[in-house]
Amino acid sequence: MNNSLSTPLGMIPNDHGTHVAGIIAAQTNNPYGIIGAASDVTLGAYRVFGCDGDVGNDILIEAYLKAYDDGSDIIPASIGGASGWPEDSWAAVVSRIVEKGVPCLVSAGNSGDEGIFYASTAANGKRVTAVASVDNTIAPALLSEATYSVAGSSVSTFGFTAGNPSAWANVSLPVWSVNFDTADAANGCEPFPDNTPDLSKYITLIRRGSCTFVQKAQNAAAKGAKHIIYYNNAAGSTKVDISAVAGIQGSAMVTAETGAAWIKALQAGSEVIVNMADPETAPKNLNNFPNTATPGFLSTYTSWGPTYEIDVKPQISAPGGMILATYPRALGSYAVLSGTSMACPLAAATWALVMQKRGTKDPKVLENLFSATAHPNLFNDGAKTYTMLAPVAQQGAGLIQAWDAANANALLSISSISFNDTANIKPLQSFEVTNAGKEAVTYQLGHISAATAYTFADTTSIDPAEFPNELVENKATLVITPAQLTLNPGQKKTVTVLAVPPKGLDAKRLPVYSGYITLNGTDSTGYSLPYQGVVGSMKAVTVLDKQYSYLSRSSDATLAPVAAGTTFTLPPAGKANETQYANTVYPTVVLTLSMGSAEVRADVVNAKGKTIGQVLTFPAYWNPRGTFEWNWDGALSDGSYAPAGTYKITLRALKIYGNSKKPQDWETQTTESFTIKYAAKSKREFTA
């Protein structure tokens, strides 16, 4: 079976698609000994991006339909955006393709810092397999070669990772450092001292750590720095981006060892001259460093589920942090990148191998196999490993195990269980276990809990806490029947699960509990089934942040609220895109959702209190949390324009699990009153 994988690739003119394709299908004709996880597949690619910018659901849907029509066996996508609603249009289409028999895997997202309840589309679609990212156990680094000398001694070679910007050709300068403490975590975080020399004549050496790369670069640039090299505070090297700092021409990172050697020489009073090289033409060497911080643990950037309807997301995890693969030739041919964008193609390629081994393309069977055989891991916050399993909302079933999935004899009928929230709890659920092997097996059933994650930092918060969420060990009680079952070859039996949510939790902070039902067989095999639920009511949480929902003006970069009675002069109806009105200041509707809302309205209310329609593009459906703004040119959703006059805009957000027909299920905020006028049409417009 020669499987075909078709993937809507993002940012193809840049680097993303080339890296994703290489993870799946790279051949062995390369200097680093890498090979794609399924190098014999037939690979299709569907371009959805231009050189930059975003892409709409319509184009993504078209790409998926084209991939389906072309007969793809698997359709993965390393792309997505915040949503949390499986009814989102792109997610819904992908779900239907899965129903038609084509597995679809989608990156879970790279917004782990946003905390829990930040599932991405189309990964949040029902039956769509969302893939989380696990960090590599090693930290591979492709280092460009350059040279340095100490006190005029013989030239030594070192490796560096070019940053952004990277104008290093023909740069040969002495090194300067603000201090000689290689353990100073805040090195460069404070303004440089008054006796700092003119740094335009040096390469400024700064230790990584504590504050951001940009902040350190700004402090250096204030003293004239044009070229900055950071030395790492961990194994290996990584790419930095300080392009936002004016005046910086070249940036790079070297290993901790290289940085320490230069600091030692500087401390001894010796001059260190670094002779940099153009990273596009310099020789490169692969260096494999140990990942001592997060080896095999969930990447801190991987996005957390669940959906707002408590569907389990992600489904599984795969290696995505620090992955070496192909890269555009103009950028060096090979590179190390990180993201759920890297985890998804690796998982999809593994799907293809198991499809071939087991002779099935059934999406449900494959997802269930990978889920049941995955290995859950402990929680790691990027610096420390805890004794609790990472929540299902972060890792899904755990890290995929290709051999186990390919050779499993126990087949589970589902890939996860959601008990919903306690206001809508579904405490009694069941699944089937089938023995696909040739011998009778007895399974002992049990369960192990994962960490329970609080959504909110305290009872007054309405925005989910940023990563790392507060985790506690309060466990659900599960009654699993039977506690033991024996299955003859080909036999199937049903297991029922009764859940009692954890006690002692603060329901107002919306804790999400989870864990794994375990099946340990007399044939030395083990399987698990992830479960999760919420203590509290999803409907009771605040969705509309009224403090940050108001009317602003398009000319205000800070989006501050306008005063009552502000007047806006708008272009004539239908003329907003014409050049002569390019400097128009529009009323800007600012709406902030603290949690997702299935429907948002923006009703335009006149001075008599009558609603005349909605702002164009409203109602907006299946909205994620976050702040959004719309510039209004007077157009209404029915195609007409509001007459000149005084108005207010009433913003309405439907509660989670709310009924749109019930007024009490909406949260509402009304803006200050404002007046709109329309500019008179020019003679040219009348003539036309």
Side-chain angles (χ1 to χ4, degrees):
M1 183 190 300
N2 185 3
N3 294 313
S4 61
L5 283 80
S6 297
T7 177
L9 300 176
M11 303 303 290
I12 288 183
N14 192 338
D15 52 47
H16 188 265
T18 306
H19 202 265
V20 165
I23 290 171
I24 297 173
Q27 305 300 297
T28 55
N29 56 343
N30 63 81
Y32 305 116
I34 62 173
I35 184 172
S39 57
D40 290 335
V41 300
T42 300
L43 187 64
Y46 297 81
R47 177 173 169 174
V48 297
F49 272 122
C51 292
D52 52 34
D54 296 323
V55 59
N57 278 357
D58 56 340
I59 296 175
L60 290 165
I61 289 170
E62 187 62 30
Y64 259 86
L65 294 176
K66 179 73 169 128
Y68 174 78
D69 289 341
D70 288 347
S72 302
D73 294 315
I74 309 173
I75 309 177
S78 291
I79 187 175
S83 172
W85 298 99
E87 297 88 352
D88 174 87
S89 58
W90 178 32
V93 169
V94 178
S95 295
R96 291 168 188 167
I97 289 175
V98 177
E99 289 175 352
K100 291 291 186 179
V102 180
C104 293
L105 291 79
V106 182
S107 299
N110 300 330
S111 299
D113 60 323
E114 296 286 349
I116 203 164
F117 284 107
Y118 209 71
S120 182
T121 187
N124 54 211
K126 293 182 183 296
R127 296 167 293 280
V128 178
T129 302
V131 185
S133 172
V134 167
D135 281 351
N136 202 338
T137 55
I138 61 172
L142 282 172
L143 302 182
S144 301
E145 287 188 3
T147 63
Y148 73 96
S149 60
V150 177
S153 63
S154 59
V155 173
S156 299
T157 301
F158 73 95
F160 71 94
T161 301
N164 185 18
S166 59
W168 285 114
N170 303 314
V171 173
S172 181
L173 291 169
V175 172
W176 181 89
S177 178
V178 69
N179 66 36
F180 304 138
D181 184 0
T182 56
D184 178 15
N187 184 260
C189 290
E190 299 296 328
F192 289 5
D194 292 339
N195 63 353
T196 300
D198 178 2
L199 295 184
S200 66
K201 300 177 181 179
Y202 295 86
I203 291 175
T204 305
L205 180 65
I206 306 175
R207 182 185 185 272
R208 179 185 185 182
S210 189
C211 64
T212 65
F213 294 124
V214 168
Q215 184 175 335
K216 293 171 186 270
Q218 288 171 335
N219 290 333
K223 296 297 183 180
K226 298 183 181 301
H227 300 91
I228 297 176
I229 294 180
Y230 298 89
Y231 63 100
N232 211 349
N233 59 357
S237 178
T238 190
K239 184 175 181 177
V240 302
D241 187 344
I242 54 174
S243 56
V245 182
I248 302 300
Q249 298 174 5
S251 62
M253 181 177 285
V254 297
T255 65
E257 294 77 12
T258 297
W262 293 350
I263 290 293
K264 182 178 180 180
L266 293 173
Q267 191 173 20
S270 299
E271 184 179 55
V272 178
I273 301 292
V274 170
N275 310 298
M276 290 297 284
D278 185 343
E280 291 191 7
T281 58
K284 289 182 174 60
N285 286 314
L286 175 62
N287 297 262
N288 288 319
F289 301 94
N291 175 8
T292 58
T294 58
F297 294 102
L298 273 294
S299 308
T300 57
Y301 57 73
T302 199
S303 293
W304 291 51
T307 70
Y308 293 117
E309 297 166 346
I310 326 298
D311 293 333
V312 171
K313 294 292 173 180
Q315 268 59 56
I316 49 89
S317 310
M322 297 174 285
I323 304 299
L324 173 64
T326 48
Y327 213 54
R329 290 186 176 223
L331 298 176
S333 298
Y334 299 90
V336 177
L337 298 180
S338 297
T340 55
S341 284
M342 286 66 247
C344 182
L346 186 54
T350 310
W351 246 247
L353 298 177
V354 173
M355 285 169 63
Q356 185 174 31
K357 171 66 167 62
R358 299 192 70 104
T360 181
K361 297 181 181 181
D362 188 316
K364 184 176 181 179
V365 169
L366 291 165
E367 183 177 282
N368 294 352
L369 276 168
F370 276 100
S371 177
T373 56
H375 286 184
N377 207 346
L378 300 175
F379 179 70
N380 179 291
D381 64 8
K384 175 185 175 182
T385 301
Y386 296 73
T387 58
M388 302 176 283
L389 286 175
V392 169
Q394 187 191 30
Q395 68 173 328
L399 181 64
I400 59 171
Q401 306 293 315
W403 193 94
D404 291 347
N407 294 282
N409 286 327
L411 305 181
L412 307 188
S413 61
I414 56 177
S415 64
S416 63
I417 292 176
S418 172
F419 295 113
N420 214 319
D421 63 2
T422 49
N424 302 278
I425 191 167
K426 300 176 181 178
L428 185 62
Q429 302 206 33
S430 65
F431 62 95
E432 294 175 337
V433 185
T434 301
N435 182 359
K438 298 180 179 180
E439 298 180 358
V441 181
T442 298
Y443 294 98
Q444 298 292 330
L445 280 79
H447 80 100
I448 183 171
S449 64
T452 293
Y454 272 116
T455 302
F456 304 114
D458 53 52
T459 56
T460 63
S461 298
I462 62 173
D463 297 302
E466 295 181 354
F467 178 90
N469 310 73
E470 180 185 345
L471 303 181
V472 295
E473 295 189 78
N474 301 55
K475 306 173 182 178
T477 300
L478 266 59
V479 179
I480 302 170
T481 307
Q484 175 181 297
L485 59 83
T486 299
L487 294 173
N488 294 317
Q491 189 175 14
K492 178 194 303 182
K493 289 187 178 179
T494 299
V495 176
T496 61
V497 183
L498 176 64
V500 178
K503 305 296 184 182
L505 294 169
D506 188 341
K508 292 182 179 179
R509 295 178 58 197
L510 209 66
V512 180
Y513 64 91
S514 60
Y516 300 87
I517 297 166
T518 58
L519 299 88
N520 293 309
T522 51
D523 59 352
S524 299
T525 60
Y527 304 90
S528 59
L529 181 69
Y531 67 84
Q532 74 178 14
V534 171
V535 174
S537 168
M538 295 299 295
K539 189 176 181 180
V541 302
T542 298
V543 296
L544 180 62
D545 188 339
K546 296 182 180 181
Q547 182 179 356
Y548 296 103
S549 298
Y550 46 73
L551 194 76
S552 184
R553 66 180 79 226
S554 60
S555 59
D556 186 350
T558 66
L559 291 178
V562 299
T566 300
T567 298
F568 297 89
T569 301
L570 306 179
K575 302 294 183 179
N577 293 327
E578 295 190 0
T579 304
Q580 61 186 311
Y581 301 110
N583 296 321
T584 299
V585 176
Y586 294 96
T588 300
V589 178
V590 178
L591 179 137
T592 300
L593 295 175
S594 53
M595 290 285 273
S597 176
E599 182 178 350
V600 172
R601 299 176 62 88
D603 296 322
V604 180
V605 181
N606 64 21
K608 296 181 179 180
K610 180 182 178 181
T611 298
I612 66 168
Q614 291 196 67
V615 172
L616 183 65
T617 76
F618 284 89
Y621 296 100
W622 316 120
N623 305 282
R625 56 184 167 95
T627 298
F628 312 91
E629 61 264 6
W630 294 263
N631 293 336
W632 188 47
D633 68 347
L636 301 175
S637 289
D638 64 1
S640 66
Y641 279 76
T646 298
Y647 297 97
K648 294 181 179 180
I649 294 178
T650 297
L651 301 169
R652 305 180 192 275
L654 185 64
K655 285 178 168 289
I656 298 169
Y657 289 151
N659 184 335
S660 62
K661 296 181 180 179
K662 295 182 178 180
Q664 64 269 29
D665 285 356
W666 293 85
E667 294 179 9
T668 302
Q669 171 77 334
T670 300
T671 71
E672 297 283 3
S673 62
F674 63 100
T675 299
I676 60 171
K677 299 178 180 179
Y678 291 97
K681 291 185 178 181
S682 66
K683 291 183 178 180
R684 180 177 60 81
E685 289 174 317
F686 280 116
T687 302

